[in-house]
Amino acid sequence: MRVARLYAAVRNAPERPRVADPERRHRIAEYLAGGTTIGRGHGPSVLHTDGLWLWPERFVSEVLESGLAPEPDLLARMHAHAYQAPAPAPGERLTDEALRAWRAGPPREPRVLVTHFVRVDAETTAERPLSLLRRTVTSTGGVSEEAVWRDLAWHPTNAFVSQRIDDELREVEPAQAAAVLDLWCATWHAEALRRAATQ
């Protein structure tokens, strides 16, 4: 059983996926509230499992309230299961396996060096940039360059080498990158709610 990554600083983790779309937030929350419950009642000591993954109940409120989603591999599993969490049969064996996995924690993250950048011009600021970029260098020397798109996911980009003459790339700390993501997530979520209300 794989434990979902527990992001240490919820607000300062630019690598944590964000979801602005209200409908997708609800589908993810339904999956996270489903599966089989490990523990009694509700609260911080309650876990959920779909038989392969294990996650804390707090993930449900984090995605609904702030759009903070679990890691991409778990999101991919949700999508593959049409956002319906499999519910393995509860019992002592499942509980023991889940608690053993929980104590062991999530798998170690690969060692990488990630640097974040914002692209600004004369009319934008680092707090409200034109775009948010990251460069990732792996332990074997591989380099990837990505930008955040409107879906709040990271996508390959050539923005590091092809930018407008008046644009400037500025390196920012992870907390600043996370703040930009949180701002965009909240803004685009509010826009989606307004659009839905007028339909």
Side-chain angles (χ1 to χ4, degrees):
M1 200 173 290
R2 180 173 168 184
V3 175
R5 182 172 176 200
L6 304 172
Y7 295 88
V10 170
R11 287 284 172 206
N12 294 329
E15 68 278 10
R16 185 169 188 181
R18 269 81 167 167
V19 177
D21 180 78
E23 185 179 317
R24 187 161 181 242
R25 281 187 184 190
H26 283 283
R27 288 195 317 259
I28 292 169
E30 285 174 8
Y31 190 101
L32 293 170
T36 301
T37 303
I38 308 294
R40 292 197 173 129
H42 297 283
S45 62
V46 176
L47 305 172
H48 291 263
T49 184
D50 60 8
L52 179 63
W53 284 87
L54 183 66
W55 61 88
E57 188 168 87
R58 72 177 166 85
F59 277 17
V60 176
S61 61
E62 289 175 359
V63 74
L64 286 174
E65 295 167 12
S66 304
L68 296 167
E71 63 196 272
D73 289 348
L74 179 50
L75 288 173
R77 178 163 170 86
M78 291 178 191
H79 182 74
H81 284 273
Y83 296 91
Q84 300 295 315
E92 190 175 323
R93 183 174 177 198
L94 180 69
T95 299
D96 288 347
E97 182 183 352
L99 294 177
R100 231 181 355 267
W102 187 253
R103 284 190 290 273
R108 288 186 76 154
E109 289 293 309
R111 293 187 59 128
V112 294
L113 173 64
V114 179
T115 310
H116 295 90
F117 300 85
V118 291
R119 184 168 61 93
V120 296
D121 63 11
E123 298 176 10
T124 58
T125 65
E127 291 75 25
R128 292 179 177 271
L130 295 168
S131 57
L132 179 63
L133 312 167
R134 73 178 177 190
R135 179 178 289 134
T136 304
V137 181
T138 67
S139 60
T140 59
V143 177
S144 64
E145 296 176 336
E146 300 167 301
V148 172
W149 288 6
R150 181 103 183 177
D151 63 359
L152 292 170
W154 294 97
H155 298 273
T157 186
N158 63 357
F160 285 93
V161 293
S162 64
Q163 61 187 37
R164 294 182 311 211
I165 197 161
D166 294 334
D167 292 354
E168 176 187 349
L169 286 182
R170 294 185 193 163
E171 185 175 337
V172 294
E173 294 295 320
Q176 177 62 37
V180 169
L181 286 168
D182 291 337
L183 172 68
W184 288 348
C185 185
T187 301
W188 296 338
H189 179 70
E191 288 174 7
L193 290 174
R194 279 193 300 276
R195 277 193 308 274
T198 60
Q199 292 179 351

